[in-house]
Amino acid sequence: MIDVPPEMGGANRAPTPPQFFVVSLGSCVAAFIATYCQQTSIDATDLSVDVSFDKAENPSRLINLKVSVKLPHADCEARKQALLRVAQHCPVHETIDTMEGVEIEILDRKQLAAMPA
């Protein structure tokens, strides 16, 4: 379920699409970091990832995304660069980092009916 704020006609009952986008980035980084930590015996207990961002207008978009990975029980100074590379290789980050555009198409019922099942 998604929703939008009341000023956009929603009821604010669920996350907004931009919030899902941010969660997607954070959870992807977390999954890649957790896997790497498991493979290299880095203590990932209580791993958390925060994603901060600003919102810009005209056009409306998210900017200044910053991902903060917290490994409170690990001493990973010697592997910090490797951890950074791992985080940067999550597919969501890779997509954002190399994105040139998104194609959008609108299919109405006539076009949908003409498509093979």
Side-chain angles (χ1 to χ4, degrees), residues 76-86:
C76 53
E77 190 61 38
R79 296 194 183 249
K80 200 167 273 191
Q81 289 304 313
L83 285 160
L84 181 60
R85 284 191 304 275
V86 167

Side-chain angles (χ1 to χ4, degrees), residues 6-24:
E7 61 268 16
M8 293 179 66
N12 210 24
R13 298 176 308 228
T16 64
Q19 288 169 328
F20 274 114
F21 175 78
V22 170
V23 167
S24 176

